[in-house]
Amino acid sequence: MLIDTYGRVATDLRVSLTDRCNLRCTYCMPEEGLQWLAKPDLLTDDEIVRLIRIAVTQLGVTEVRFTGGEPLLRPGLVGIVERCAALEPRPKMSLTTNGIGLKRTAEALKAAGLDRVNVSLDTLRPDVFKTLTRRDRHRDVLEGMAAAREAGLTPVKVNSVLMPGLNDDEAPDLLAWAVENDYELRFIEQMPLDAQHGWKRDGMITAGDILESLRTRFTLTEEGQEERGSAPAERWIVDGGPHTVGVIASVTRPFCAACDRTRLTADGQVRTCLFATEETDLRAALRSDGEDGSDETIARIWKQAMWGKKAGSGLDDPSFLQPSRPMSAIGG
């Protein structure tokens, strides 16, 4: 098991497949100039599958989420999913994507064994989308989401970040649209993970702001902690059901005490938390000969890394330092 000193057990593995992305969202990346990881530094398909196999068969991982960057940019994605679906026990598998490539890949991913997708979409307005992402691809995202739904990659979850002065008035419209299209909407507070380190707590759209806005049009009934479990999103039943809306309040309502996640970067580093400033290298062990590169050695290194996981993210600590690597390199 991947257990820490606070008794938390990590069963949910987030795997970043690439640091590259075909959008340039303002809260994640600068418009240009971001240095990509060199190809030799990236894990190969075989290395990724091997680490997932070790996690599932030796360390108790039951869920795998493929992230990026943009994971649909990984050429071997379908093959990776197919090979992981053949593992015993078979993990639940999902994908977090910007949705641009889903129209052409949804059916193949479903056939390979992917269970569902999370799609990032912050606005229903094409002009605002272009401002937020610096790309004119709004229609592609909507078509990709519809393709995922039709392929059976459900529930399709939609992740939205509200930014002051851009889309902070769209919460009710986004929820009405999600209900109409049978998507599960989740708002995410903006987090200090941008490459340009421009995040400021002052002026951030908080969970409280979001809920206040939603209640101008909808009746929300809190689902409760028992239903939530270790999920990052607090959920509310919308107008008596069956649809729900979630809020991931990493900044104002941290949920560290129930965290069950372990993270693997595209270059083979274990991260115990999105906001961690330290990483543990698994790539070196993967590429070592003999006992130093054995499954048992890799599992032991991984266990040791998770044993040292801190109690919380440290966001409220005056000495908090933003991770030097942006979300695109860490994996969401």
Side-chain angles (χ1 to χ4, degrees), residues 119-242:
V119 182
S120 299
L121 181 67
D122 304 320
T123 178
L124 299 176
R125 305 193 293 250
D127 59 324
V128 176
F129 181 91
K130 187 174 181 179
T131 299
L132 275 168
T133 68
R134 304 185 178 103
R135 299 292 186 271
D136 190 11
R137 306 296 298 272
H138 190 256
R139 176 176 291 184
D140 294 322
V141 178
L142 295 181
E143 290 179 350
M145 294 172 64
R149 185 184 56 206
E150 293 303 311
L153 292 170
T154 54
V156 175
K157 295 184 179 182
V158 182
N159 294 337
S160 297
V161 176
L162 299 182
M163 300 290 290
L166 286 173
N167 61 338
D168 52 350
D169 61 336
E170 283 199 69
D173 290 340
L174 281 163
L175 181 53
W177 167 80
V179 168
E180 180 182 352
N181 289 278
D182 201 26
Y183 299 137
E184 185 175 327
L185 179 63
R186 306 190 308 173
F187 292 98
I188 304 177
E189 288 182 338
Q190 184 197 3
M191 295 179 284
L193 292 169
D194 56 309
Q196 56 271 39
H197 288 205
W199 179 86
K200 290 182 174 61
R201 186 184 291 263
D202 295 343
M204 182 189 74
I205 308 301
T206 68
D209 298 330
I210 294 165
L211 292 168
E212 182 179 358
S213 178
L214 292 176
R215 286 183 171 122
T216 63
R217 197 183 306 179
F218 302 94
T219 299
L220 303 181
T221 306
E222 192 167 2
E223 196 172 56
Q225 186 60 44
E226 187 174 326
E227 290 290 332
R228 181 183 182 185
S230 61
E234 295 179 79
R235 297 204 309 176
W236 282 262
I237 299 167
V238 179
D239 290 343

Side-chain angles (χ1 to χ4, degrees), residues 219-271:
T219 299
L220 303 181
T221 306
E222 192 167 2
E223 196 172 56
Q225 186 60 44
E226 187 174 326
E227 290 290 332
R228 181 183 182 185
S230 61
E234 295 179 79
R235 297 204 309 176
W236 282 262
I237 299 167
V238 179
D239 290 343
H243 293 93
T244 63
V245 62
V247 179
I248 299 177
S250 301
V251 178
T252 63
R253 303 183 185 183
F255 39 87
C256 303
C259 181
D260 66 349
R261 281 164 287 289
T262 182
R263 301 176 184 276
L264 185 66
T265 68
D267 54 350
Q269 310 300 306
V270 171
R271 294 183 64 86

Side-chain angles (χ1 to χ4, degrees), residues 71-94:
L72 295 182
L73 296 179
R74 179 88 187 199
L77 172 61
V78 172
I80 290 171
V81 171
E82 188 172 31
R83 292 167 67 184
C84 292
L87 293 172
E88 292 290 344
R90 181 198 187 280
K92 295 180 181 177
M93 290 185 294
S94 57

